[in-house]
């Protein structure tokens, strides 16, 4: 066979293989979504998303865990976003790559690979017991914040690295100090990328069960958390409870799938908001 | 002939401890209210030299600089010098237009705001004057709030010049400011350079000898980190004393 035919055959085969793999991943995702929608859509109603759970979780809605999850996201991001972005700014703009920076970077990478249940136990020991925050929205939110930190730091660092050096040069050449340059030029330019990192983290934070089950999420709460020291219900933990702790499976199973759909919709909704916000920022830049 | 605005004395610079020197014993004057051109082949040290004049080489971590650089007689490398104030006095325009991803107005207002300008009417006035000096006012006056990136490359470079002069520098350093521009935009920037020397001292690096001949009063020829020869531009281009200068300007190498 001539070399040309061989090359063409190899090109076609690799194209086919790539398309095949792409189709396979899309199919897996589609299958999961279709299955969840099929099982859960029957449970969705206005009552389901606006009512508190009743009758030992066999009736009523899930507004309490929805609100709890939103509150957890807010608390975790209020902690992780400023800390993560500041850390990334330190790594990328201030550190000179010495031993301390290398150790800190290693620590951040390691934090990313800590199993979430271990993080949950850390949260219990540190936030709940040592800092006396108890099993609360605050403890659970901070634990989730720790979970989000490594992703947020890495994403922010990448975004900062992508800011062209020419922008910094221009600012310094005009007599800008380092902080002025970071605050007025580098951070605004990196912001769309940082937001992307934030969106990824919110999805992760919203869906985690292990870090919150010891630190603040409860089986049942009679109403919304009114202070950061109240414990909360949360969607992923609620799903876990419905799936494992019920005795009336005929009644809880549809609710369980409905809750899963709501959680997915919430995460997707937040991602959409983030993506739109990012697109707007990009356009303004 | 005017006084020397900047003076370098036995300036050596290397990019790291073991690297060969990028500048070797450069001693020269840059005269006030004139245009000084630095020419030479790639890697000859002309841009490195320019960046020593406003301490942009401070960002090169292992750079070593010895010798003295004086601005109005003051050593800019002495410890008591405030680098940000030095860079305000010695402005810079870069090789590729690098406007910030802000509006045209915000680009020009950036420097004055760093220095504490808050009054919007004062800022408006600075923006207008700077854009006028950079020859961009007529083109930009109706679109001051448009993104700077909506301008053409040549307009962007003139915007960068407007941005640089908005902080009222005394010296303007230009590092191959037309190398990314087309011939028409280049001609406009060159015309601007000739006008700017009325108010500023201009030092311009160029790889284009015709450009040096067209815009400068004094030309300095660098080769392998050494200042081979410098003097009035017409002398350098007609009767250079050094054989290497003659070889370079007649196109025997480069």
């Amino acid at each position: 066979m001539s070399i040309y035919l061989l090359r063409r055959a190899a090109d076609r085969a690799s194209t086919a293989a790539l398309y095949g793999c792409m189709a396979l991943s899309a199919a897996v995702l589609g299958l999961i979504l279709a299955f969840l929608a099929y099982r859960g859509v029957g449970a969705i109603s206005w009552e389901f998303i606006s009512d508190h759970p009743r009758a030992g979780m066999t009736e009523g809605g899930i507004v309490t865990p929805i609100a709890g999850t939103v509150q957890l996201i807010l608390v975790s991001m209020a902690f992780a976003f400023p800390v993560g972005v500041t850390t990334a700014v330190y790594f990328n703009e201030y550190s000179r790559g010495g031993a301390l920076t290398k150790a800190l970077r290693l620590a951040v990478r390691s934090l990313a690979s800590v199993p979430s249940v271990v993080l949950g136990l850390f949260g219990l020991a540190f936030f709940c017991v040592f800092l006396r925050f108890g099993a609360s929205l605050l403890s659970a939110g901070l634990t989730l914040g720790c979970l989000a930190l490594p992703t947020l730091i890495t994403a922010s660092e990448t975004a900062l690295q992508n800011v062209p050096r020419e922008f910094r040069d221009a600012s310094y050449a005009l007599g800008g100090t380092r902080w002025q340059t970071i605050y007025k030029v580098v951070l605004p330019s990196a912001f769309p990328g940082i937001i992307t990192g934030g969106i990824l983290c919110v999805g992760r934070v919203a869906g985690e069960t292990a870090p919150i089950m010891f630190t603040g999420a409860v089986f049942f709460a009679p109403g919304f958390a009114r202070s950061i020291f109240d414990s909360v219900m949360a969607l992923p933990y609620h799903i876990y409870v419905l799936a494992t702790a019920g005795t009336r499976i005929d009644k809880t199973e549809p609710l369980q799938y409905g809750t899963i759909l709501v959680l997915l919709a919430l995460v997707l909704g937040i991602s959409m908001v983030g993506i739109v916000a990012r697109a707007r920022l990009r356009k303004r830049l | 002939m005017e006084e020397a605005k900047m003076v370098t004395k036995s300036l050596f610079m290397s990019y790291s401890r073991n690297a060969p020197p990028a500048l070797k014993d450069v001693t020269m004057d840059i005269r006030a209210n004139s245009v000084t051109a630095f020419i030479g082949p790639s890697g000859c040290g002309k841009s490195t030299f320019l960046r020593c004049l406003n301490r942009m080489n401070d960002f090169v971590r292992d750079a070593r600089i010895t010798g003295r650089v004086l601005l109005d007689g003051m050593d800019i490398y002495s410890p008591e010098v405030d680098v940000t104030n030095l860079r305000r006095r010695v402005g810079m325009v870069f090789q590729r237009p690098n406007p910030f991803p802000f509006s045209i107005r915000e680009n020009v207002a950036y420097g004055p705001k760093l220095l504490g300008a808050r009054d919007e009417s004062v800022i408006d006035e600075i923006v207008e004057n700077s854009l006028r000096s950079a020859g961009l006012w007529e083109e930009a006056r109706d679109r001051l709030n448009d993104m700077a990136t909506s301008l053409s490359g040549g307009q962007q470079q003139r915007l960068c010049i407007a941005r640089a002069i908005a902080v009222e520098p005394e010296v303007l350093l230009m590092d191959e400011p037309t190398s990314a521009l087309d011939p028409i935009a280049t001609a406009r920037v060159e015309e601007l350079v000739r006008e700017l020397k009325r108010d500023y001292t201009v030092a311009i690096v160029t790889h284009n000898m015709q450009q040096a001949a067209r815009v400068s009063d004094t030309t300095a020829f660098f080769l392998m980190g050494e200042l081979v020869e410098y003097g009035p531009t017409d002398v350098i281009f007609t009767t250079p004393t050094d054989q290497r200068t003659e070889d370079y300007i007649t196109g025997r190498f480069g």
Side-chain angles (χ1 to χ4, degrees):
Chain A
M1 208 190 317
S2 88
I3 185 76
Y4 300 105
L5 285 175
L6 205 65
R7 275 167 21 131
R8 204 165 66 183
D11 185 50
R12 287 203 176 146
S14 47
T15 307
L18 289 170
Y19 270 99
C21 291
M22 188 275 286
L24 193 67
S25 345
V28 169
L29 188 68
L31 212 64
I32 293 173
L33 286 177
F35 174 74
L36 292 176
Y38 171 69
R39 300 292 292 267
V41 80
I44 305 291
S45 65
W46 174 246
E47 191 209 359
F48 185 65
I49 55 170
S50 65
D51 206 357
H52 296 283
R54 280 185 281 110
M57 246 77 92
T58 57
E59 284 170 35
I62 55 166
V63 71
T64 347
I66 292 175
T69 287
V70 170
Q71 287 170 317
L72 283 170
I73 290 171
L74 291 177
V75 172
S76 66
M77 283 299 128
F79 163 64
F81 203 78
V83 174
V85 174
T86 321
T87 308
V89 167
Y90 170 77
F91 277 155
N92 203 53
E93 309 289 328
Y94 280 86
S95 86
R96 290 180 154 261
L100 177 69
T101 306
K102 284 191 182 131
L104 283 172
R105 256 185 226 268
L106 187 66
V108 170
R109 303 275 184 273
S110 313
L111 191 60
S113 57
V114 170
S116 56
V117 66
V118 175
L119 218 56
L121 288 171
F122 162 77
L124 173 66
F126 187 70
F127 298 122
C128 302
V129 178
F130 183 74
L131 295 179
R132 295 166 197 253
F133 293 159
S136 62
L137 175 57
L138 182 63
S139 299
L142 291 174
T143 310
L144 286 172
C146 293
L147 179 94
L149 265 182
T151 323
L152 206 51
I153 291 171
T154 311
S156 307
E157 259 198 279
T158 312
L160 291 168
Q161 279 159 9
N162 287 340
V163 175
R165 222 197 60 180
E166 286 83 0
F167 292 175
R168 294 170 222 260
D169 281 351
S171 175
Y172 287 125
L174 288 163
T177 62
R178 180 146 68 169
W179 172 242
Q180 284 174 322
T181 302
I182 291 169
Y183 181 70
K184 288 172 186 254
V185 176
V186 178
L187 277 178
S189 309
F191 214 65
I194 295 175
I195 293 280
T196 311
I199 295 169
L200 290 173
C201 288
V202 167
R204 183 90 205 275
V205 160
E208 278 289 347
T209 316
I212 57 173
M213 58 197 299
F214 318 119
T215 53
V218 288
F219 177 76
F220 179 76
F224 302 123
R226 304 210 179 275
S227 113
I228 51 169
F229 293 108
D230 287 353
S231 51
V232 288
M233 291 182 79
L235 288 170
Y237 189 55
H238 192 61
I239 293 165
Y240 174 76
V241 166
L242 288 172
T244 57
T247 48
R248 300 290 307 277
I249 293 166
D250 57 317
K251 286 195 165 184
T252 53
E253 205 182 51
L255 298 181
Q256 172 197 328
Y257 282 107
T259 310
I260 291 171
L261 268 189
V262 170
L263 176 57
L264 274 178
L266 187 72
V267 172
L268 286 177
I270 291 169
S271 300
M272 293 302 275
V273 170
I275 288 166
V276 170
R278 184 181 58 183
R280 289 226 165 152
L281 277 172
R282 281 240 172 95
K283 206 180 273 175
R284 236 186 50 211
L285 282 182
Chain B
M1 197 57 93
E2 293 275 351
E3 288 289 292
K5 181 71 186 175
M6 295 193 82
V7 177
T8 67
K9 289 183 177 165
S10 305
L11 191 68
F12 285 81
M13 191 273 186
S14 59
Y15 279 101
S16 67
R17 186 193 293 267
N18 299 317
L23 291 174
K24 283 178 258 181
D25 198 14
V26 178
T27 298
M28 75 174 289
D29 295 354
I30 294 166
R31 290 198 189 82
N33 294 101
S34 71
V35 177
T36 304
F38 304 150
I39 60 169
S42 296
C44 68
K46 56 195 191 300
S47 287
T48 302
F49 181 68
L50 196 75
R51 294 171 81 91
C52 285
L53 300 179
N54 68 342
R55 289 184 59 174
M56 286 301 276
N57 284 332
D58 286 14
F59 298 110
V60 182
R61 195 177 303 162
D62 298 319
R64 288 156 176 265
I65 296 170
T66 61
R68 306 215 304 159
V69 180
L70 308 177
L71 171 65
D72 287 338
M74 172 196 75
D75 186 348
I76 68 169
Y77 283 93
S78 84
E80 57 263 31
V81 165
D82 175 21
V83 185
T84 56
N85 187 44
L86 166 74
R87 297 210 185 100
R88 206 271 304 152
R89 293 177 63 191
V90 184
M92 189 165 220
V93 175
F94 297 85
Q95 198 164 345
R96 286 156 49 93
N98 59 348
F100 296 124
F102 312 148
S103 71
I104 294 170
R105 181 181 186 277
E106 285 309 307
N107 263 279
V108 183
Y110 182 83
K113 281 186 176 175
L114 289 183
L115 299 170
R118 289 287 171 274
D119 188 337
E120 291 297 322
S121 62
V122 172
I123 291 173
D124 282 336
E125 198 175 320
I126 295 173
V127 168
E128 179 174 343
N129 290 338
S130 307
L131 287 171
R132 275 189 197 284
S133 305
L136 193 60
W137 176 248
E138 294 306 324
E139 291 150 83
R141 61 187 302 172
D142 296 324
R143 47 191 294 203
L144 291 177
N145 292 317
D146 288 6
M147 292 302 298
T149 42
S150 69
L151 296 170
S152 72
Q155 289 173 325
Q156 287 186 19
Q157 193 62 304
R158 278 181 280 139
L159 176 65
C160 292
I161 293 171
R163 181 176 65 184
I165 59 189
V167 292
E168 299 176 0
E170 298 156 39
V171 181
L172 203 52
L173 309 175
M174 304 178 118
D175 188 0
E176 300 197 22
T178 62
S179 64
L181 305 184
D182 64 60
I184 294 168
T186 297
R188 292 217 54 178
V189 171
E190 286 183 7
E191 191 188 320
L192 184 56
V193 169
R194 283 191 296 267
E195 283 168 20
L196 287 171
K197 73 174 177 186
R198 199 173 56 229
D199 299 314
Y200 309 95
T201 300
V202 180
I204 181 170
V205 165
T206 176
H207 62 267
N208 179 331
M209 283 177 283
Q210 284 81 7
Q211 180 167 72
R214 283 191 298 262
V215 302
S216 70
D217 304 293
T218 310
T219 296
F221 171 58
F222 285 79
L223 188 63
M224 296 170 76
E226 276 179 73
L227 174 61
V228 174
E229 186 170 355
Y230 90 108
T233 298
D234 47 359
V235 175
I236 293 282
F237 280 98
T238 50
T239 51
T241 31
D242 196 291
Q243 185 61 41
R244 292 169 293 175
T245 313
E246 189 177 331
D247 288 350
Y248 182 70
I249 61 169
T250 53
R252 242 165 258 162
F253 74 97

